[in-house]
Amino acid sequence: MCGICGIIDHKKVLSTSERENLVTLMNKTQAHRGPDDNGIYSDSCVSLGHVRLSIIDLSSAGHQPMSYMDRYEIVFNGEIYNYIELRSELEAAGYTFKTHTDTEVIMASIDHFGKKECLSHFNGFWAFAVYDRADNSVFMSRDRYGVKPLYYTTQPGYLIFSSEIKSMLEDKNIKRVANDQAILDYLVNSFVDCEDYTFFNDIYRLPAGSFMHVDKDGNMSIDKFYTLEYKETVSGKTTPSMVKKFRHLFQDSIKLRMRADVPVGSCLSGGLDSSAIVCETARQIEELKKANSEKISSEGDATGTAIYTPSTYSSCYKNSPNDESKYIKMVIDKTGVNGHYTYPTGESLRDDLDNLIYTQDEPFLSTSMYASYSVMKLAASKGAKVLLDGQGADEILCGYRKARVYYIKRLFKSHKFLSAIWESLLYLPYARKKGSSLAADLSMLRQFFGGKADNNDIRREYLNSSFAKMHVKNSYKDNERYLVNDFEKISLPALLRYVDRNSMAFSIEERLPFLDFRLVEYCMKLPLGVKIERGFSKYIMRRALDMPEGIRTRRDKIGFYTPELDWIRKYSDEYRKVFENENFKASRYIDRDKILRDWDKLLEGKDSIGLFRYICLEKWMEIFNVGAAV
């Protein structure tokens, strides 16, 4: 796992020394992504930069930018998990290798299969740029689901790209102007990272499952190499063969993601996803120990997997009704892993918030990101370099409450009234908020049976009046592609950005077993009734995977929880100063006078979702010195 950057300047707007100096600064700005090594390649029109986090082949042979066949030059961020199998195939075709890295396998694959064609052979996550000296072209790609980031912008005569936006901002020619559409998406519709544009005007992300080609004249084109196939069937029963197939795909995904020359740990929240990962990892490690007939060591076996006792890292809240410690303990007791804990507080959030926003590059939706940030900080303090995590499971297995509402609506539309009533009644006790009223429960039932939630459009109330009138995109909701939209547009892209920035801020690589493309494609074609049954989400997963029974049967997991409003209340005077600042930068977007007038009401929960976002937006504009669009 690494950081990459580069400048493509076929028109030679910049001198070679100017490009090299800029790439040096870009490397330095994202050095946290790769503290083990760094390098620069430069010729008359292209400069590439790389910072390395050594995970596979820890020797200096893994240095990047890396050359191959005196033709290709690559900077690569990610992992190709099936590189061992690909390497064998390429060796049989006559290719030779000087290193044991997956980086070299990418370039041989490009030469053997073709630039676009090679991408379908990779199982992993990646963002890379390859300079082909044969025709002075640059080929860039991002993995199927966009786990690894790749940003770019064009300036007069040249293109600049990087793993992180803050790195690109070292180019003083880039204007730091906010993107109105991204901010409106964020404040009103809770959308972030759903489109190719970012919160910065004229800075874009290369779409997931895409590649970019820049020819010798500097002409740029972007195309898709992957489209997720989605088939929605409402009703269906979970069969033993489905369970067996799911289990096999998951176990093989874990096996591939344990390939490393350093120990692989795991995040552990106490929910189904991380618990299943930890239990399966522990099982496979025990099998390796038995097969190798050796004690715990840091040496790997023939598959490239290190043998060790796994460690887990968890975020907990003492004396909180939402604390997950008892569930985490169930997993630790079952597997014997080494458990480590962190305890985020309102005080630590206050102290870390500026750095968290700087880490993320762009505004984020809630303080739940701080739980992840704190876990990564803990793991780094314990020397971890690779962690497994459960992102993607909710999206492919209907884990969210909104997916259950969607399923019940689909049952209703399909005239399966008894099933719809039965599922809604089974789920209602777990969907309702503590202390909710009968009216609130009836409102939720109306959502189940095709109605819309009560909505007084509170999120526009605290926006600048002219800005609030702008049109908000809403094309991702309430249509027959709802679940795949959630995967591709609404939920997952934001989570992947959060995961990447939080982990890489502490020089940790996070691997996501539920996003193995084989498992994703299988689950996206399963009937909804296989994913949700008898009030349980992720039903097939509960049947297929090993975990403590107390976790297998729970239905109340709420994800990364943080007591956001309580934390803001505790330091309300300090957060109020964000809006009292005479140099308030977000006035184009936020009606700060109304926020200050209603401050006590907001602390009571009048706009509990929006309050943090107003704070986050203003602090982001301040930290990155971003101006509002004119």
mmCIF file of all heavy atoms in Angstrom, residues 390-414:
data_model
loop_
_atom_site.group_PDB
_atom_site.id
_atom_site.type_symbol
_atom_site.label_atom_id
_atom_site.label_comp_id
_atom_site.label_asym_id
_atom_site.label_seq_id
_atom_site.Cartn_x
_atom_site.Cartn_y
_atom_site.Cartn_z
ATOM 1 N N GLY A 390 -14.633 -4.944 7.524
ATOM 2 C CA GLY A 390 -15.859 -5.519 6.990
ATOM 3 C C GLY A 390 -16.655 -4.656 6.033
ATOM 4 O O GLY A 390 -17.807 -4.980 5.732
ATOM 5 N N GLN A 391 -16.078 -3.557 5.526
ATOM 6 C CA GLN A 391 -16.827 -2.701 4.599
ATOM 7 C C GLN A 391 -17.300 -3.504 3.388
ATOM 8 O O GLN A 391 -16.578 -4.355 2.872
ATOM 9 C CB GLN A 391 -15.968 -1.529 4.136
ATOM 10 C CG GLN A 391 -15.991 -0.345 5.067
ATOM 11 C CD GLN A 391 -15.146 -0.556 6.305
ATOM 12 O OE1 GLN A 391 -14.365 -1.486 6.367
ATOM 13 N NE2 GLN A 391 -15.299 0.308 7.287
ATOM 14 N N GLY A 392 -18.509 -3.188 2.945
ATOM 15 C CA GLY A 392 -19.094 -3.841 1.787
ATOM 16 C C GLY A 392 -20.142 -4.876 2.132
ATOM 17 O O GLY A 392 -21.050 -5.131 1.338
ATOM 18 N N ALA A 393 -20.071 -5.466 3.322
ATOM 19 C CA ALA A 393 -21.030 -6.507 3.688
ATOM 20 C C ALA A 393 -22.448 -5.960 3.769
ATOM 21 O O ALA A 393 -23.406 -6.600 3.312
ATOM 22 C CB ALA A 393 -20.632 -7.154 5.012
ATOM 23 N N ASP A 394 -22.614 -4.785 4.354
ATOM 24 C CA ASP A 394 -23.954 -4.201 4.468
ATOM 25 C C ASP A 394 -24.568 -3.940 3.104
ATOM 26 O O ASP A 394 -25.769 -4.125 2.898
ATOM 27 C CB ASP A 394 -23.901 -2.902 5.266
ATOM 28 C CG ASP A 394 -23.740 -3.125 6.755
ATOM 29 O OD1 ASP A 394 -24.456 -3.990 7.302
ATOM 30 O OD2 ASP A 394 -22.896 -2.460 7.376
ATOM 31 N N GLU A 395 -23.741 -3.522 2.155
ATOM 32 C CA GLU A 395 -24.255 -3.173 0.833
ATOM 33 C C GLU A 395 -24.612 -4.412 0.008
ATOM 34 O O GLU A 395 -25.600 -4.397 -0.734
ATOM 35 C CB GLU A 395 -23.215 -2.333 0.082
ATOM 36 C CG GLU A 395 -23.078 -0.910 0.589
ATOM 37 C CD GLU A 395 -22.257 -0.784 1.867
ATOM 38 O OE1 GLU A 395 -21.586 -1.776 2.251
ATOM 39 O OE2 GLU A 395 -22.290 0.280 2.495
ATOM 40 N N ILE A 396 -23.847 -5.465 0.112
ATOM 41 C CA ILE A 396 -24.128 -6.647 -0.726
ATOM 42 C C ILE A 396 -25.109 -7.606 -0.064
ATOM 43 O O ILE A 396 -25.673 -8.479 -0.728
ATOM 44 C CB ILE A 396 -22.841 -7.406 -1.108
ATOM 45 C CG1 ILE A 396 -22.155 -8.022 0.110
ATOM 46 C CG2 ILE A 396 -21.891 -6.487 -1.880
ATOM 47 C CD1 ILE A 396 -20.944 -8.887 -0.225
ATOM 48 N N LEU A 397 -25.355 -7.420 1.260
ATOM 49 C CA LEU A 397 -26.205 -8.371 1.989
ATOM 50 C C LEU A 397 -27.374 -7.706 2.697
ATOM 51 O O LEU A 397 -27.975 -8.292 3.591
ATOM 52 C CB LEU A 397 -25.359 -9.151 3.011
ATOM 53 C CG LEU A 397 -24.313 -10.085 2.397
ATOM 54 C CD1 LEU A 397 -23.362 -10.600 3.471
ATOM 55 C CD2 LEU A 397 -24.985 -11.247 1.679
ATOM 56 N N CYS A 398 -27.734 -6.489 2.286
ATOM 57 C CA CYS A 398 -28.909 -5.795 2.848
ATOM 58 C C CYS A 398 -28.803 -5.616 4.353
ATOM 59 O O CYS A 398 -29.748 -5.903 5.100
ATOM 60 C CB CYS A 398 -30.192 -6.542 2.486
ATOM 61 S SG CYS A 398 -30.558 -6.579 0.732
ATOM 62 N N GLY A 399 -27.672 -5.108 4.804
ATOM 63 C CA GLY A 399 -27.480 -4.947 6.237
ATOM 64 C C GLY A 399 -28.076 -3.690 6.822
ATOM 65 O O GLY A 399 -28.287 -3.602 8.021
ATOM 66 N N TYR A 400 -28.362 -2.692 5.990
ATOM 67 C CA TYR A 400 -28.870 -1.424 6.507
ATOM 68 C C TYR A 400 -30.375 -1.477 6.733
ATOM 69 O O TYR A 400 -31.098 -2.204 6.064
ATOM 70 C CB TYR A 400 -28.564 -0.287 5.529
ATOM 71 C CG TYR A 400 -27.104 -0.005 5.345
ATOM 72 C CD1 TYR A 400 -26.523 -0.045 4.075
ATOM 73 C CD2 TYR A 400 -26.288 0.316 6.425
ATOM 74 C CE1 TYR A 400 -25.178 0.239 3.885
ATOM 75 C CE2 TYR A 400 -24.939 0.594 6.247
ATOM 76 C CZ TYR A 400 -24.390 0.549 4.979
ATOM 77 O OH TYR A 400 -23.056 0.819 4.801
ATOM 78 N N ARG A 401 -30.839 -0.648 7.652
ATOM 79 C CA ARG A 401 -32.272 -0.523 7.898
ATOM 80 C C ARG A 401 -33.004 -0.120 6.614
ATOM 81 O O ARG A 401 -34.080 -0.645 6.306
ATOM 82 C CB ARG A 401 -32.499 0.531 8.991
ATOM 83 C CG ARG A 401 -33.963 0.869 9.216
ATOM 84 C CD ARG A 401 -34.087 2.064 10.150
ATOM 85 N NE ARG A 401 -35.453 2.529 10.192
ATOM 86 C CZ ARG A 401 -36.017 3.320 9.267
ATOM 87 N NH1 ARG A 401 -35.311 3.713 8.239
ATOM 88 N NH2 ARG A 401 -37.272 3.690 9.374
ATOM 89 N N LYS A 402 -32.416 0.792 5.842
ATOM 90 C CA LYS A 402 -33.078 1.250 4.619
ATOM 91 C C LYS A 402 -33.251 0.107 3.620
ATOM 92 O O LYS A 402 -34.208 0.101 2.840
ATOM 93 C CB LYS A 402 -32.284 2.389 3.981
ATOM 94 C CG LYS A 402 -30.848 2.037 3.624
ATOM 95 C CD LYS A 402 -30.077 3.263 3.163
ATOM 96 C CE LYS A 402 -28.615 2.935 2.878
ATOM 97 N NZ LYS A 402 -27.843 4.113 2.475
ATOM 98 N N ALA A 403 -32.356 -0.887 3.646
ATOM 99 C CA ALA A 403 -32.498 -2.032 2.744
ATOM 100 C C ALA A 403 -33.682 -2.899 3.164
ATOM 101 O O ALA A 403 -34.394 -3.447 2.320
ATOM 102 C CB ALA A 403 -31.221 -2.862 2.744
ATOM 103 N N ARG A 404 -33.910 -2.998 4.458
ATOM 104 C CA ARG A 404 -35.061 -3.784 4.924
ATOM 105 C C ARG A 404 -36.371 -3.076 4.556
ATOM 106 O O ARG A 404 -37.344 -3.734 4.171
ATOM 107 C CB ARG A 404 -34.978 -3.975 6.438
ATOM 108 C CG ARG A 404 -33.679 -4.633 6.886
ATOM 109 C CD ARG A 404 -33.779 -5.080 8.306
ATOM 110 N NE ARG A 404 -32.468 -5.142 8.948
ATOM 111 C CZ ARG A 404 -32.228 -5.791 10.063
ATOM 112 N NH1 ARG A 404 -33.201 -6.440 10.666
ATOM 113 N NH2 ARG A 404 -31.039 -5.802 10.596
ATOM 114 N N VAL A 405 -36.374 -1.754 4.695
ATOM 115 C CA VAL A 405 -37.557 -0.999 4.284
ATOM 116 C C VAL A 405 -37.815 -1.213 2.793
ATOM 117 O O VAL A 405 -38.950 -1.425 2.361
ATOM 118 C CB VAL A 405 -37.377 0.500 4.613
ATOM 119 C CG1 VAL A 405 -38.518 1.313 4.022
ATOM 120 C CG2 VAL A 405 -37.283 0.712 6.125
ATOM 121 N N TYR A 406 -36.744 -1.164 2.006
ATOM 122 C CA TYR A 406 -36.869 -1.376 0.564
ATOM 123 C C TYR A 406 -37.416 -2.771 0.272
ATOM 124 O O TYR A 406 -38.293 -2.932 -0.587
ATOM 125 C CB TYR A 406 -35.497 -1.204 -0.092
ATOM 126 C CG TYR A 406 -35.485 -1.515 -1.576
ATOM 127 C CD1 TYR A 406 -36.041 -0.630 -2.486
ATOM 128 C CD2 TYR A 406 -34.908 -2.694 -2.050
ATOM 129 C CE1 TYR A 406 -36.039 -0.912 -3.845
ATOM 130 C CE2 TYR A 406 -34.900 -2.982 -3.399
ATOM 131 C CZ TYR A 406 -35.455 -2.090 -4.291
ATOM 132 O OH TYR A 406 -35.452 -2.376 -5.627
ATOM 133 N N TYR A 407 -36.919 -3.773 0.975
ATOM 134 C CA TYR A 407 -37.368 -5.155 0.754
ATOM 135 C C TYR A 407 -38.857 -5.295 1.068
ATOM 136 O O TYR A 407 -39.622 -5.915 0.309
ATOM 137 C CB TYR A 407 -36.553 -6.098 1.636
ATOM 138 C CG TYR A 407 -37.014 -7.537 1.615
ATOM 139 C CD1 TYR A 407 -37.202 -8.213 0.406
ATOM 140 C CD2 TYR A 407 -37.250 -8.230 2.801
ATOM 141 C CE1 TYR A 407 -37.607 -9.543 0.383
ATOM 142 C CE2 TYR A 407 -37.654 -9.548 2.789
ATOM 143 C CZ TYR A 407 -37.828 -10.197 1.584
ATOM 144 O OH TYR A 407 -38.241 -11.510 1.561
ATOM 145 N N ILE A 408 -39.289 -4.702 2.166
ATOM 146 C CA ILE A 408 -40.697 -4.798 2.545
ATOM 147 C C ILE A 408 -41.571 -4.073 1.516
ATOM 148 O O ILE A 408 -42.649 -4.555 1.152
ATOM 149 C CB ILE A 408 -40.909 -4.241 3.969
ATOM 150 C CG1 ILE A 408 -40.226 -5.177 4.987
ATOM 151 C CG2 ILE A 408 -42.390 -4.098 4.301
ATOM 152 C CD1 ILE A 408 -40.097 -4.591 6.372
ATOM 153 N N LYS A 409 -41.098 -2.944 1.017
ATOM 154 C CA LYS A 409 -41.832 -2.249 -0.045
ATOM 155 C C LYS A 409 -41.943 -3.121 -1.292
ATOM 156 O O LYS A 409 -42.986 -3.174 -1.952
ATOM 157 C CB LYS A 409 -41.127 -0.929 -0.396
ATOM 158 C CG LYS A 409 -41.297 0.190 0.618
ATOM 159 C CD LYS A 409 -40.596 1.439 0.105
ATOM 160 C CE LYS A 409 -40.809 2.619 1.027
ATOM 161 N NZ LYS A 409 -40.154 3.844 0.517
ATOM 162 N N ARG A 410 -40.858 -3.794 -1.644
ATOM 163 C CA ARG A 410 -40.862 -4.648 -2.832
ATOM 164 C C ARG A 410 -41.815 -5.834 -2.646
ATOM 165 O O ARG A 410 -42.498 -6.241 -3.591
ATOM 166 C CB ARG A 410 -39.445 -5.150 -3.127
ATOM 167 C CG ARG A 410 -38.462 -4.066 -3.511
ATOM 168 C CD ARG A 410 -38.769 -3.451 -4.862
ATOM 169 N NE ARG A 410 -38.508 -4.394 -5.935
ATOM 170 C CZ ARG A 410 -39.284 -4.567 -6.996
ATOM 171 N NH1 ARG A 410 -40.396 -3.840 -7.121
ATOM 172 N NH2 ARG A 410 -38.973 -5.429 -7.940
ATOM 173 N N LEU A 411 -41.861 -6.388 -1.436
ATOM 174 C CA LEU A 411 -42.823 -7.454 -1.166
ATOM 175 C C LEU A 411 -44.244 -6.944 -1.349
ATOM 176 O O LEU A 411 -45.099 -7.611 -1.942
ATOM 177 C CB LEU A 411 -42.640 -7.987 0.262
ATOM 178 C CG LEU A 411 -41.412 -8.865 0.529
ATOM 179 C CD1 LEU A 411 -41.285 -9.126 2.027
ATOM 180 C CD2 LEU A 411 -41.509 -10.185 -0.235
ATOM 181 N N PHE A 412 -44.480 -5.754 -0.849
ATOM 182 C CA PHE A 412 -45.802 -5.165 -0.954
ATOM 183 C C PHE A 412 -46.191 -4.933 -2.420
ATOM 184 O O PHE A 412 -47.297 -5.264 -2.862
ATOM 185 C CB PHE A 412 -45.828 -3.854 -0.171
ATOM 186 C CG PHE A 412 -47.184 -3.219 -0.085
ATOM 187 C CD1 PHE A 412 -48.146 -3.725 0.764
ATOM 188 C CD2 PHE A 412 -47.494 -2.108 -0.850
ATOM 189 C CE1 PHE A 412 -49.407 -3.138 0.843
ATOM 190 C CE2 PHE A 412 -48.745 -1.515 -0.786
ATOM 191 C CZ PHE A 412 -49.704 -2.037 0.064
ATOM 192 N N LYS A 413 -45.250 -4.374 -3.203
ATOM 193 C CA LYS A 413 -45.514 -4.113 -4.621
ATOM 194 C C LYS A 413 -45.711 -5.407 -5.408
ATOM 195 O O LYS A 413 -46.396 -5.428 -6.426
ATOM 196 C CB LYS A 413 -44.360 -3.314 -5.234
ATOM 197 C CG LYS A 413 -44.313 -1.865 -4.781
ATOM 198 C CD LYS A 413 -43.173 -1.106 -5.441
ATOM 199 C CE LYS A 413 -43.419 -0.956 -6.932
ATOM 200 N NZ LYS A 413 -42.365 -0.122 -7.578
ATOM 201 N N SER A 414 -45.097 -6.491 -4.916
ATOM 202 C CA SER A 414 -45.231 -7.789 -5.578
ATOM 203 C C SER A 414 -46.465 -8.547 -5.098
ATOM 204 O O SER A 414 -46.631 -9.728 -5.416
ATOM 205 C CB SER A 414 -43.975 -8.633 -5.323
ATOM 206 O OG SER A 414 -42.823 -7.992 -5.802
#
